Amino acid sequence: MLVFLDDSGDPGFKVKKGSSPCFVIALAIFDDHLEAESCAVEIKKLRRELGLSDHFEFKFSKCCDRFRKDFLTRVTQYQFRVRAIVMRKEAIYSPELRHSKESFYNYSIRMVLQHSFGKIQNAKLKMDGHEDREFRRELQAYLRKQLQKGGDGAPILQDLKIVDSKNNVLIQLADMVAGTIRRFAEQEKEDAIQYRKIIEKRIENVWDFGR
């Protein structure tokens, strides 16, 4: 099982000063390695068809409407599952989570991986990197400790690697999915439903944590 993880929004709580109302962690889960490889090739093909550089990184927040729709339409023909968590900050009361971005970030990731009802087991997880190397080491240690076993006793993670999203198009897939889910959750723009409908058939679960 291959799992690619990325987020959308920011882990800060100063919403009135520009922080996002929601923070989303999204997982793109492939149960077949060949399917993951085929999807990655499709993304690279799309990049060239759009006349983009081989180094172009698909990011929901930076793509135009056409690129978003083309990307989401192309990838959803492949067999992967989407699980995500929407953290509505107005519903988070823990002082530690509200005052420590690292704790909030780590907790959000742990929740979406831990509460999968057996849908995530023995996973090889890849997630986007972070500039702070010490933070990366602490996150890896935290997740390995917290996710040793799922509810049925099977290990959740087999391996965890932090990689650069610029060099991994399936991390970019997770980013595009996370952006889609956050836009739909916040309902601040009219195009939110359009993107959500495109990926609907790939969504296995979206946990709206604040509701």
Side-chain angles (χ1 to χ4, degrees), residues 55-72:
H55 301 292
F56 178 85
E57 181 178 5
F58 286 101
K59 292 185 73 69
F60 188 89
S61 62
K62 296 182 179 180
C63 283
C64 64
D65 176 72
R66 177 195 166 197
F67 285 8
R68 288 171 182 157
K69 289 178 178 176
D70 284 351
F71 183 100
L72 296 173

Side-chain angles (χ1 to χ4, degrees), residues 73-91:
T73 300
R74 293 284 279 271
V75 298
T76 50
Q77 65 184 300
Y78 294 92
Q79 298 297 316
F80 66 91
R81 300 180 281 125
V82 170
R83 298 189 68 85
I85 187 167
V86 176
M87 304 293 285
R88 295 186 183 273
K89 295 174 185 176
E90 61 183 15

Side-chain angles (χ1 to χ4, degrees), residues 141-170:
Y142 171 82
L143 292 179
R144 287 193 175 107
K145 179 181 179 181
Q146 296 290 336
L147 302 175
Q148 289 181 357
K149 291 185 178 181
D152 56 0
I156 296 172
L157 295 183
Q158 181 185 117
D159 186 43
L160 166 61
K161 290 183 179 179
I162 296 179
V163 301
D164 189 341
S165 61
K166 293 180 180 178
N167 302 319
N168 191 305
V169 294
L170 295 180

Side-chain angles (χ1 to χ4, degrees), residues 13-31:
F13 277 79
K14 296 180 179 179
V15 177
K16 293 182 179 180
K17 294 185 178 181
S19 292
S20 59
C22 296
F23 182 63
V24 171
I25 298 290
L27 312 174
I29 305 166
F30 289 86
D31 297 303

Side-chain angles (χ1 to χ4, degrees), residues 44-200:
K44 293 174 183 177
K45 285 170 57 180
L46 172 63
R47 192 164 56 190
R48 289 195 173 183
E49 288 173 17
L50 293 174
L52 303 170
S53 162
D54 288 346
H55 301 292
F56 178 85
E57 181 178 5
F58 286 101
K59 292 185 73 69
F60 188 89
S61 62
K62 296 182 179 180
C63 283
C64 64
D65 176 72
R66 177 195 166 197
F67 285 8
R68 288 171 182 157
K69 289 178 178 176
D70 284 351
F71 183 100
L72 296 173
T73 300
R74 293 284 279 271
V75 298
T76 50
Q77 65 184 300
Y78 294 92
Q79 298 297 316
F80 66 91
R81 300 180 281 125
V82 170
R83 298 189 68 85
I85 187 167
V86 176
M87 304 293 285
R88 295 186 183 273
K89 295 174 185 176
E90 61 183 15
I92 305 297
Y93 299 107
S94 165
E96 180 182 356
L97 297 183
R98 293 186 69 88
H99 293 98
S100 171
K101 292 181 180 180
E102 290 79 9
S103 294
F104 180 57
Y105 182 72
N106 293 354
Y107 180 78
S108 301
I109 294 175
R110 177 186 139 202
M111 286 294 100
V112 73
L113 289 168
Q114 193 171 54
H115 297 276
S116 72
F117 305 99
K119 299 293 185 179
I120 302 174
Q121 294 182 351
N122 295 303
K124 292 183 177 181
L125 173 66
K126 290 186 178 181
M127 56 186 295
D128 191 18
H130 192 282
E131 294 179 0
D132 188 333
R133 291 184 179 180
E134 181 63 27
F135 173 74
R136 288 202 304 249
R137 287 195 292 268
E138 291 177 358
L139 173 61
Q140 287 175 310
Y142 171 82
L143 292 179
R144 287 193 175 107
K145 179 181 179 181
Q146 296 290 336
L147 302 175
Q148 289 181 357
K149 291 185 178 181
D152 56 0
I156 296 172
L157 295 183
Q158 181 185 117
D159 186 43
L160 166 61
K161 290 183 179 179
I162 296 179
V163 301
D164 189 341
S165 61
K166 293 180 180 178
N167 302 319
N168 191 305
V169 294
L170 295 180
I171 295 288
Q172 295 172 36
L173 164 61
D175 175 278
M176 296 291 279
V177 169
T180 296
I181 291 172
R182 182 168 75 92
R183 179 160 295 194
F184 184 77
E186 293 178 348
Q187 288 291 312
E188 292 182 352
K189 296 188 178 181
E190 294 181 358
D191 58 9
I193 187 64
Q194 299 174 24
Y195 301 130
R196 171 70 183 229
K197 283 184 176 179
I198 297 175
I199 67 167
E200 189 70 39

